[in-house]
Amino acid sequence: MKVSEEGQGIGASLLPILEKLPFLSRCAKTRGWHYVIGWLHRLTGIWLVIAMTAHIYNLSPAPTAKMKIPALPIFAFFAWASSLAAGFHALNGGRLILYELFGNRNDAAMVRWTFGLSVAYAAMVGFLMIAKNQSASALFFWLTAFFAGVVTAYAVASRVWKTRHSAPWMLQRISGAFLLIAVPAYLLFLYLNPGVADHARAAVARMQDNVFTGIVFLALAAASLYHAGYGLFSVMADYVASRRARAGLTALILAFIAVLVFFTFRILSI
Amino acid sequence: MSKSYSLTLTIRRFDPDASRRWFQTYTLSTGPILRFVDLFRRINVEQDATLAWTSSCEHAQCGSCSVKVNGRPMLACELLVENAVNLFGTTKFRIEPVTVAPVVRDLVVDWEKAYERVHRAKPYLIEPKELPPGMTEHRISPGKIARYEEATRCINCFCCAEACLSSCRNFIGPNAAMAGIVRMMDIRETQKEERLDLLYSEEGIYRCHTSKACSHVCPKEIDVAHFIALAKEGAF
Ligand code: SF4
Ligand code: SF4
């Protein structure tokens, strides 16, 4: 039996800092680094659902100003941490798509890129948040980002469409492929507005300036809500065995997503 | 002179008659090349005859001695003391039964229950292709066999199922999924529909999230996740 495998492959190539964290390295010994990354993907996914909920709630018109999430430094940190989670979740999702659908089996290098680029991306967002003096044309920015997202989604769709997979699973992969470009782009866009780095509302208003960016916003919201809903369902379906409990929790997830859809439409109607 | 180790084994016990569960600690001095099944046997002989555990071939071929050692599913018959100490960096080991089947007593589980998943995947040719005229056997090229030969080493020890991120509550399990996939890669099999129905169901590959824990713990070094990914890719 081979027991010295911890020194090879992924264990040897992962960021050394992770190996120093006792809990993570214990998990890696018993189930492997990919297992740890699998859990990180799940946890960042749940984090992003919470962040998206807070974001949608904060953007939509509230009955009183008091009900808004205040602009405290801790929330700025939460927003920055969300960019780290989004970068990791997107890049790791891309790695999984390459592994599962495009036959890329040697993904140790991909794991290194996932961690490295996530940190670089979060650093860039952090810089934009602090600098607050950037400007980008909404139309030009979204023409590029939307086109890249659609092409990525199309590449995945053409790969899975003729397979036997269930439609919800395929849509999860396709929406994921679109979001892997669109969400990091969206977070960047929020901070690419001169002097309004803390005002997501102003950035979203800019997206509704013309029909094209309005459609982009709608596509982004639809893909995010679907991806979040199916992601939650998928985690639940792994662990809840009772049929009745599964049905109840599925209904709860649907209701939760429906509430978010409602709030999203309220943003659009501002 | 060979090394000796002073080990502490904390073993999860279960007495079905009293419905009682507890952890019991045993200390042993051993040499480096004793296997964990040898440790269990020594506990039976020297300290506690009531400790129940299973093994059969004791050559890593039957999969009946799978247990969790410090949380990692492993075959007790091939885990040497020295390797365990090197792997976990300690001489203290917590040993628990696997959770893929109900516990009968101490480290003994009802393997038949675990096997039900594999039976559902039908690990045999359901409808073999007819032999070509004048032939007494099917000829499969080495290239074709090489694509799935690795998977035929599976001994159904369920270490992969135990380690799976998806927990195997609702998942047929990596080894059972692979058993179906391998038969679809076999050119002699003609009945694929039934296998595909199971694979592309909510208890099939949708419960796999490519965490590769299965490949990591497999004592036969099978890249289980690769075979499951072939089904995701739509290779059949
Ligand atoms: S694939 Fe490996 S770990 Fe899984 S049952 Fe077969 S031999 Fe055991
Ligand atoms: S790759 Fe899939 S089958 Fe293997 S441990 Fe991970 S979730 Fe389970």
Side-chain angles (χ1 to χ4, degrees):
Chain A
M1 188 189 69
K2 192 178 74 173
V3 291
S4 57
E5 66 212 55
E6 313 311 327
Q8 300 171 11
I10 205 92
S13 59
L14 211 71
L15 294 177
I17 193 162
L18 283 178
E19 289 178 338
K20 297 214 169 67
L21 304 174
F23 177 70
L24 286 190
S25 69
R26 202 167 53 243
C27 288
K29 264 197 180 102
T30 57
R31 311 279 151 110
W33 277 110
H34 282 96
Y35 178 85
V36 174
I37 293 165
W39 266 109
L40 282 179
H41 194 76
R42 296 207 139 168
L43 295 175
T44 50
I46 291 168
W47 174 282
L48 291 172
V49 172
I50 296 168
M52 179 177 75
T53 308
H55 185 62
I56 290 176
Y57 174 75
N58 215 29
L59 286 178
S60 67
T64 69
K66 268 193 191 156
M67 291 173 74
K68 286 287 152 203
I69 297 170
L72 298 173
I74 183 75
F75 292 112
F77 177 76
F78 178 81
W80 176 80
S82 299
S83 75
L84 186 60
F88 173 80
H89 196 84
L91 289 160
N92 191 52
R95 179 184 70 80
L96 292 176
I97 286 175
L98 287 177
Y99 184 93
E100 292 177 348
L101 303 177
F102 292 86
N104 176 27
R105 295 292 186 268
N106 296 321
D107 66 347
M110 292 284 299
V111 170
R112 281 201 298 277
W113 279 102
T114 299
F115 279 96
L117 289 177
S118 309
V119 172
Y121 170 76
M124 182 165 66
V125 171
F127 173 75
L128 294 180
M129 287 172 85
I130 293 165
K132 300 184 182 184
N133 61 353
Q134 309 78 20
S135 178
S137 145
L139 188 65
F140 178 74
F141 180 91
W142 282 111
L143 261 179
T144 324
F146 186 68
F147 180 71
V150 169
V151 168
T152 316
Y154 179 76
V156 170
S158 60
R159 196 84 186 179
V160 291
W161 208 246
K162 292 218 173 78
T163 61
R164 212 183 157 109
H165 285 297
S166 73
W169 190 88
M170 286 193 277
L171 278 175
Q172 176 74 347
R173 264 50 191 175
I174 296 166
S175 61
F178 172 68
L179 293 171
L180 107 85
I181 304 284
V183 167
Y186 178 73
L187 293 181
L188 271 185
F189 184 74
L190 290 186
Y191 304 108
L192 277 174
N193 290 275
V196 290
D198 299 327
H199 302 291
R201 185 184 291 272
V204 172
R206 285 186 69 205
M207 283 188 78
Q208 289 170 51
D209 275 355
N210 67 65
V211 178
F212 170 70
T213 46
I215 290 171
V216 171
F217 185 78
L218 211 59
L220 184 63
S224 306
L225 291 169
Y226 178 80
H227 199 80
Y230 189 87
L232 291 175
F233 167 80
S234 190
V235 175
M236 181 276 293
D238 282 352
Y239 304 110
V240 180
S242 138
R243 272 172 188 267
R244 200 179 267 190
R246 275 168 80 122
L249 286 168
T250 305
L252 209 64
I253 292 168
L254 284 173
F256 172 62
I257 297 297
V259 170
L260 291 185
V261 169
F262 170 76
F263 277 108
T264 305
F265 274 106
R266 288 187 60 176
I267 299 171
L268 289 169
S269 62
I270 299 174
Chain B
M1 204 178 80
S2 79
K3 270 190 205 160
S4 90
Y5 296 94
S6 173
L7 303 182
T8 306
L9 303 190
T10 303
I11 301 182
R12 191 176 180 92
R13 310 280 315 260
F14 171 57
D15 176 358
D17 303 321
S19 288
R20 189 172 154 241
R21 288 169 205 278
W22 74 104
F23 278 102
Q24 191 153 346
T25 300
Y26 304 93
T27 50
L28 300 106
S29 287
T30 81
I33 56 164
L34 241 56
R35 305 162 306 164
F36 271 52
V37 281
D38 299 322
L39 302 181
F40 300 156
R41 200 168 275 121
R42 269 190 55 193
I43 290 173
N44 281 159
V45 173
E46 298 168 7
Q47 303 185 34
D48 183 354
T50 68
L51 175 70
W53 52 282
T54 38
S55 75
S56 183
C57 75
E58 297 204 3
H59 282 83
Q61 290 305 326
C62 71
S64 61
C65 63
S66 305
V67 287
K68 281 197 289 179
V69 179
N70 287 355
R72 177 171 169 149
M74 305 179 95
L75 297 180
C77 79
E78 66 163 2
L79 179 61
L80 301 183
V81 166
E82 186 166 47
N83 285 345
V85 172
N86 288 341
L87 176 63
F88 294 106
T90 178
T91 51
K92 292 192 170 81
F93 301 101
R94 174 185 279 239
I95 298 161
E96 295 164 276
V98 288
T99 56
V100 288
V103 180
V104 177
R105 179 183 288 274
D106 299 341
L107 300 175
V108 182
V109 300
D110 183 354
W111 283 119
E112 200 42 54
K113 279 272 180 304
Y115 260 86
E116 278 170 12
R117 298 159 189 259
V118 180
H119 294 323
R120 288 188 53 216
K122 304 201 172 167
Y124 46 81
L125 300 177
I126 302 172
E127 259 178 51
K129 212 159 67 178
E130 278 191 18
L131 285 170
M135 299 288 280
T136 54
E137 66 207 1
H138 288 284
R139 298 256 164 102
I140 309 176
S141 70
K144 285 215 169 97
I145 291 256
R147 288 171 54 227
Y148 61 86
E149 181 274 333
E150 174 187 345
T152 62
R153 294 202 301 262
C154 176
I155 57 168
N156 284 319
C157 64
F158 290 87
C159 284
C160 53
E162 180 69 27
C164 181
L165 175 87
S166 185
S167 87
C168 275
R169 275 195 196 98
N170 302 321
F171 181 22
I172 186 163
N175 53 330
M178 187 175 71
I181 288 164
V182 139
R183 267 79 201 180
M184 280 194 295
M185 295 172 88
D186 190 322
I187 57 156
R188 296 168 301 173
E189 177 64 294
T190 58
Q191 174 53 271
K192 297 196 173 166
E193 278 305 302
E194 199 181 326
R195 297 189 190 285
L196 288 169
D197 284 346
L198 179 62
L199 276 179
Y200 292 94
S201 72
E202 276 302 323
E203 55 178 336
I205 53 176
Y206 301 137
R207 298 276 65 76
C208 165
H209 310 284
T210 313
S211 67
K212 294 181 170 178
C214 47
S215 308
H216 183 78
V217 300
C218 177
K220 294 292 161 193
E221 293 171 28
I222 303 168
D223 191 357
V224 192
H226 155 73
F227 288 96
I228 298 177
L230 287 178
K232 289 189 187 171
E233 213 176 306
F236 314 111

